Amino acid sequence: EKTETPLAPVNAGDEFPDPASPIKRLIVRAVESEIPKASQKDFKGKKIIVSLDNHGFAKAVIKKVKAGKGDVITIGSKGADFKIDLTDVKTTERQVEEFKEAYPEVDGFIHLAPLDFYFDRKKGKGDSDESLNATIKSFFVMIKSLFETLDKKDTFIGTITFDSVVLPYMEGCGEIHPMFGGLAGLIKTANKELVDTRVKVVDFSYKQPKKSIPKITQTLIHELLCDD
């Protein structure tokens, strides 16, 4: 004779059901991590690639890298040390090989070009092919081409995103930019492949990020230099 085992009642005041219950529930919680300890490291003797944006973030990052005794090689379409059109994947594939001939050794890559499409998304550029290429596809091409150069200790890859992950209970966050979710995913994959390289995406939530450029860029630099 078949009998049914009665389910244990769930106390309405409990946050979780009884362990004996067949109902499995996952509750997402945010846990605040400790701020990484300050590092005494700097950029002395390092050549750092910085892809340019037009909103002041690259300018601030470059200033901080140079203050840390590092050398900066800017890439982009206008005013860059080396012209690479990140909005065109095929062109990037060709130009990155030329870049490697000009700069055979680099120690880091800070990708800030996607910020232009984030801030210009109201102009209809946020989900364009150019945005996808500059944010993710051409960045992938660059990492792939520079893999051997960057796959060693004391090198790094970093980028800034805004609200790439938004949880349901978050209040007062900025507008979601789907491309940043893809960029964060690419960075996480690169982190697994480049075992000895420090690979970081630093995500922020600001309604008006451009008012906090000094704080945002200093946090990025701190994350790239810390021992965490």
Side-chain angles (χ1 to χ4, degrees):
E1 184 179 348
K2 201 171 183 180
T3 60
E4 292 186 2
T5 304
L7 298 177
V10 177
N11 188 328
D14 290 343
E15 201 169 356
F16 296 98
D18 187 274
S21 171
I23 300 173
K24 304 299 179 185
R25 297 174 182 171
L26 299 177
I27 298 177
V28 178
R29 286 193 178 92
V31 178
E32 185 174 355
S33 301
E34 293 183 5
I35 298 175
K37 294 180 180 179
S39 174
Q40 300 301 315
K41 297 178 182 178
D42 57 22
F43 297 106
K44 185 176 181 180
K46 296 184 181 297
K47 293 181 179 178
I48 313 301
I49 303 170
V50 177
S51 65
L52 297 175
D53 75 290
N54 295 312
H55 297 274
F57 289 85
K59 184 178 180 180
V61 165
I62 290 168
K63 185 177 180 180
K64 294 178 189 300
V65 171
K66 289 184 175 179
K69 304 175 184 177
D71 294 321
V72 176
I73 308 163
T74 58
I75 62 171
S77 298
K78 295 180 181 179
D81 296 323
F82 195 95
K83 184 176 180 180
I84 296 182
D85 184 4
L86 295 171
T87 64
D88 188 307
V89 177
K90 290 295 183 182
T91 301
T92 298
E93 289 176 344
R94 173 177 55 81
Q95 291 176 331
V96 70
E97 294 306 316
E98 296 171 356
F99 175 89
K100 287 168 63 177
E101 291 181 9
Y103 303 98
E105 292 294 329
V106 294
D107 304 286
F109 186 0
I110 301 175
H111 189 40
L112 301 176
L115 297 176
D116 281 348
F117 297 95
Y118 172 74
F119 290 112
D120 294 341
R121 63 194 183 283
K122 291 183 179 179
K123 298 179 183 178
K125 297 182 179 180
D127 58 355
S128 64
D129 289 341
E130 290 82 1
S131 175
L132 176 61
N133 291 344
T135 303
I136 302 170
K137 289 186 175 181
S138 290
F139 187 37
F140 171 77
V141 168
M142 293 283 295
I143 293 174
K144 182 180 178 181
S145 182
L146 298 170
F147 191 95
E148 291 185 6
T149 302
L150 292 172
D151 187 25
K152 57 189 178 185
K153 291 183 178 180
D154 297 322
T155 61
F156 64 82
I157 299 173
T159 191
I160 290 173
T161 61
F162 295 106
D163 297 307
S164 65
V165 178
V166 179
L167 299 176
Y169 50 79
M170 288 181 65
E171 296 181 0
C173 64
E175 294 183 37
I176 300 171
H177 182 49
M179 294 294 177
F180 279 156
L183 177 58
L186 174 57
I187 283 287
K188 291 174 184 176
T189 300
N191 186 48
K192 292 182 179 180
E193 297 294 328
L194 294 153
V195 180
D196 292 321
T197 309
R198 181 179 298 278
V199 184
K200 288 204 172 186
V201 53
V202 186
D203 189 74
F204 299 89
S205 185
Y206 284 95
K207 284 188 175 181
Q208 297 179 305
K210 286 190 278 189
K211 290 186 176 181
S212 301
I213 289 176
K215 182 178 180 181
I216 290 170
T217 53
Q218 184 56 52
T219 301
L220 172 66
I221 295 297
H222 180 74
E223 288 286 344
L224 293 176
L225 290 176
C226 75
D227 296 319
D228 181 22

